Amino acid sequence: MSSSRLLLLLLVSFMLLGHSLAKTRHFKWEVGYIHWSTDGEESVVMGINGAFPGPTIRGRAGDIIVVELTNKLHTEGVVIHWHGIRQFGTPWADGTAAISQCAINAGETFVYRFKVDKAGTYFYHGHYGMQRSAGLYGSLIVDVAQGENESFHYDGEFNLLLSDWWHKGSHEQEVDLSSNPLRWIGEPQTLLINGRGQYNCSMAAQFSNPRLPQCKLRGGEQYAPQILRVRPNKTYRLRLASTTALASLNLAIGGHKMVVVEADGNYVQPFSVQDIDIYSGESYSILFTTNQDPSKNYWISTSVRGREPKTPQALTLLNYLPNSASKFPTLPPPIAPLWNDYNHSKSFSNKILALMGSPKPPIKNNRRIILLNTQNKIDGYTKWAINNVSLVLPTTPYLGSIRYGINNAFDTRPPPDNFPIDYDVMKQAPNSNATYGNGVYMLKMNTTIDIILQNANALGKGASEIHPWHLHGHDFWVLGYGEGKFSEKHVKKFNLKNPPLRNTVVIYPYGWTALRFVTDNPGVWAFHCHIEPHLHMGMGVILAEGVHLVKNIPREALACGLTGKMLMTNKHN
């Protein structure tokens, strides 16, 4: 046998072995409301299989995940979005109501089936109404494929899912946000770590807030913090994901440096920090070494960034064994940077670069879309708008109406690729009025798209907010950030050498962010601000590419609206 033939046989055998090692992992879930004490105050939360947060899904790259989801909510629909999973070949499983599928009605069961193709730290959450604010979320961890190794070493691993919590229910929040005049939901009462927080008491009362009593916690309580137990002189991987509805966060481990190695399921050039900013929709992996005084325990803290913090820090303990977990640290929790110290945040963002050997972006784009983020008024209602259009989803999912050529399902006029050249992003708009719309950015397959996210002044004078934007169905390269209004001169400063691949990116107040992606995934994809109230108030757009290539859409995914009528007609014919 020739050496080339032998090499080919070995290659085929290796590929078949890799395929055989992939598994299909089945989960059976029931989504329903439950009584739960997230922070010591019992409330109604949306749980899965009677627990909050939802169960952690764990698999390996190449595995097939099958989730049989039954809606036990009785009076409302539900969907689940698998945040960061690109859904190649399964756009109907993206879990976006009115975009990729119909909402799963009360009492009905829907089966999500998709491949997790890339190792990384992900999560899932509700994507119907404001069900993420109701607590519908959980972790999704994808390990490297069988037989492969990470590019970094660690001795143990922890996973922290970060969120925020209101004592006002999500339905009441929806009504408040949809009222005229607007009733703002206010800041969260509590920050949660893995669904656990403390309200009206503090674990570090003697240090941080003498007005709050010391928390008296017992291990069996639902809101008791989960302690991270470590051994001295070991290296640990800490997976972080933020599913907050509103809050941007900063996380620190008292006395310990952190090395960032992963962002949104993509490896980055390792870099060391004392604290890490994490925005809603983002995920990271960091490494830390337990090289501090082994006779002590240390605080892990999360604090609010980007908004004036009226919510106390969330705290848990890094417990150096064999110390008792009841032994509180002798130093106060880490102090977060000032909430509006954006230079600190920008410095962190600019350190995130792709690991050597990562895919590089195409040198040139085929199309550029500039999206202006503004706060507006429509008939007296306060809304968020993109290029003066506030998104209102149709009753028929886009995936079905575009795939089957159904007319009148959504606005067929293309939304604008830009905003007026004389618009001053630094000042209040002379005309704050906007319009509702649900048009689609139709993108050609296998082309390179640049999107410039442009921030502007909100309705109030001198007000511009942070917006973390999340793209479904794709990763994108972050080419750069800038101050003020984007112009052609900034293109020369784009990073085409080692830009990081992300699925969520932040635009800072009065700034812009440039990203690039390739339309290589047929489907209809949401692109939106990941702050739950902002999306509810219209801050998003819809992208479609190669929808005619989508096959094997489950009938139940589209059994509503005009596609539902079409399917029923075809069934009887």
Side-chain angles (χ1 to χ4, degrees):
M1 182 182 296
S2 68
S3 58
S4 60
R5 183 176 175 83
L6 178 61
L7 182 63
L8 178 62
L9 286 174
L10 288 172
L11 179 62
V12 171
S13 299
F14 178 78
M15 291 173 64
L16 290 174
L17 177 64
H19 180 73
S20 66
L21 291 174
K23 294 182 178 180
T24 300
R25 301 180 186 270
H26 293 267
F27 303 87
K28 194 169 184 177
W29 288 358
E30 292 185 349
V31 174
Y33 285 111
I34 55 176
H35 291 288
W36 203 265
S37 183
T38 59
D39 60 5
E41 297 282 314
E42 188 179 82
S43 55
V44 173
V45 307
M46 199 172 284
I48 297 176
N49 294 345
F52 165 79
T56 296
I57 289 179
R58 189 143 200 162
R60 289 189 176 275
D63 286 352
I64 302 297
I65 303 297
V66 180
V67 178
E68 184 180 332
L69 184 75
T70 300
N71 181 359
K72 294 287 188 177
L73 296 173
H74 303 300
T75 59
E76 61 187 293
V78 70
V79 295
I80 300 276
H81 169 55
W82 316 95
H83 188 106
I85 305 302
R86 294 177 292 182
Q87 301 293 351
F88 285 115
T90 53
W92 52 266
D94 189 46
T96 48
I99 302 171
S100 64
Q101 70 168 108
C102 303
I104 306 163
N105 290 327
E108 292 183 347
T109 298
F110 183 82
V111 178
Y112 289 100
R113 183 183 182 91
F114 55 90
K115 183 178 182 178
V116 288
D117 65 303
K118 185 160 59 75
T121 304
Y122 309 102
F123 62 99
Y124 61 84
H125 60 82
H127 215 293
Y128 180 67
M130 290 180 61
Q131 291 179 344
R132 178 157 53 97
S133 296
L136 184 54
Y137 46 74
S139 293
L140 198 169
I141 307 299
V142 182
D143 293 306
V144 294
Q146 191 76 38
E148 296 183 7
N149 296 309
E150 299 279 13
S151 60
F152 42 83
H153 168 77
Y154 52 95
D155 301 298
E157 178 182 311
F158 300 100
N159 179 49
L160 297 184
L161 187 64
L162 310 177
S163 52
D164 44 12
W165 190 251
W166 283 257
H167 293 161
K168 179 184 291 186
S170 61
H171 293 308
E172 188 176 351
Q173 291 183 43
E174 288 180 5
V175 174
D176 287 350
L177 293 168
S178 303
S179 296
N180 183 8
L182 172 73
R183 296 188 182 185
W184 178 240
I185 60 173
E187 303 305 307
Q189 276 68 61
T190 319
L191 300 179
L192 307 180
I193 300 176
N194 287 346
R196 298 162 181 247
Q198 291 78 49
Y199 177 68
N200 270 350
C201 73
S202 172
M203 293 175 61
Q206 72 273 32
F207 297 115
S208 58
N209 194 340
R211 295 174 297 172
L212 289 176
Q214 181 72 34
C215 293
K216 297 179 180 179
L217 302 170
R218 297 184 297 274
E221 292 168 329
Q222 292 172 338
Y223 58 95
Q226 291 185 345
I227 308 299
L228 277 61
R229 293 179 169 84
V230 297
R231 296 285 180 183
N233 299 311
K234 302 289 184 181
T235 298
Y236 292 87
R237 179 180 190 168
L238 181 59
R239 296 181 183 266
L240 302 169
S242 174
T243 184
T244 56
L246 175 65
S248 303
L249 301 175
N250 180 271
L251 181 137
I253 306 174
H256 293 70
K257 287 186 178 180
M258 299 180 287
V259 177
V260 181
V261 292
E262 177 217 343
D264 293 352
N266 296 286
Y267 297 122
V268 300
Q269 293 181 22
F271 64 96
S272 179
V273 291
Q274 295 288 350
D275 57 80
I276 180 172
D277 280 348
I278 180 167
Y279 300 95
S280 178
E282 291 187 328
S283 64
Y284 293 96
S285 282
I286 61 103
L287 303 178
F288 68 93
T289 301
T290 50
N291 54 9
Q292 300 302 300
D293 185 344
S295 68
K296 297 179 179 180
N297 292 331
Y298 300 85
W299 295 113
I300 299 174
S301 66
T302 62
S303 309
V304 172
R305 298 280 285 129
R307 305 183 69 87
E308 188 170 358
K310 299 176 182 177
T311 308
Q313 284 182 314
L315 297 173
T316 189
L317 283 177
L318 186 68
N319 174 207
Y320 271 60
L321 297 173
N323 298 330
S324 169
S326 62
K327 183 179 182 180
F328 277 13
T330 57
L331 295 175
I335 299 174
L338 290 175
W339 68 273
N340 56 357
D341 183 357
Y342 297 119
N343 287 332
H344 182 90
S345 305
K346 293 170 185 177
S347 173
F348 174 77
S349 293
N350 285 317
K351 290 176 182 176
I352 303 172
L353 300 171
L355 187 67
M356 186 178 297
S358 300
K360 292 187 177 182
I363 298 299
K364 295 182 179 180
N365 68 67
N366 301 108
R367 181 178 177 184
R368 179 192 294 161
I369 301 171
I370 301 180
L371 301 178
L372 176 68
N373 295 240
T374 57
Q375 194 177 42
N376 298 79
K377 291 282 189 177
I378 303 179
D379 298 328
Y381 293 88
T382 302
K383 298 294 178 181
W384 288 95
I386 304 303
N387 291 351
N388 216 44
V389 179
S390 186
L391 180 65
V392 178
L393 295 174
T395 56
T396 301
Y398 290 102
L399 183 63
S401 58
I402 297 175
R403 177 65 178 83
Y404 298 113
I406 296 175
N407 296 323
N408 304 317
F410 60 90
D411 188 352
T412 56
R413 292 173 298 178
D417 276 20
N418 208 334
F419 59 93
I421 193 170
D422 60 348
Y423 190 97
D424 190 343
V425 301
M426 307 300 291
K427 297 179 180 179
Q428 291 172 286
N431 181 358
S432 63
N433 292 327
T435 59
Y436 294 117
N438 53 28
V440 178
Y441 287 95
M442 297 291 187
L443 309 177
K444 293 181 180 180
M445 277 295 293
N446 299 312
T447 58
T448 300
I449 307 297
D450 278 9
I451 293 183
I452 310 298
L453 294 166
Q454 176 69 65
N455 214 339
N457 199 96
L459 285 174
K461 185 177 180 180
S464 185
E465 297 187 22
I466 280 177
H467 300 291
W469 274 72
H470 170 58
L471 177 59
H472 294 229
H474 300 272
D475 284 348
F476 50 74
W477 290 276
V478 182
L479 302 184
Y481 306 86
E483 311 289 335
K485 190 175 182 179
F486 175 82
S487 68
E488 196 65 32
K489 66 182 180 182
H490 295 120
V491 175
K492 297 178 181 179
K493 296 183 179 180
F494 282 177
N495 176 14
L496 300 178
K497 179 183 177 183
N498 54 3
L501 272 168
R502 305 294 302 265
N503 62 58
T504 305
V505 69
V506 64
I507 41 171
Y508 292 105
Y510 297 112
W512 56 265
T513 299
L515 56 93
R516 178 171 292 178
F517 70 100
V518 176
T519 55
D520 57 0
N521 192 7
V524 183
W525 308 109
F527 184 41
H528 61 89
C529 179
H530 208 261
I531 292 175
E532 191 85 315
H534 291 183
L535 175 58
H536 180 77
M537 297 164 69
M539 199 173 196
V541 298
I542 305 299
L543 312 175
E545 63 199 71
V547 180
H548 64 286
L549 300 173
V550 177
K551 299 178 180 179
N552 303 319
I553 305 174
R555 177 179 289 264
E556 57 270 25
L558 302 177
C560 64
L562 297 175
T563 48
K565 293 179 181 179
M566 181 200 71
L567 291 171
M568 286 298 294
T569 300
N570 291 342
K571 182 178 180 180
H572 293 299
N573 289 341

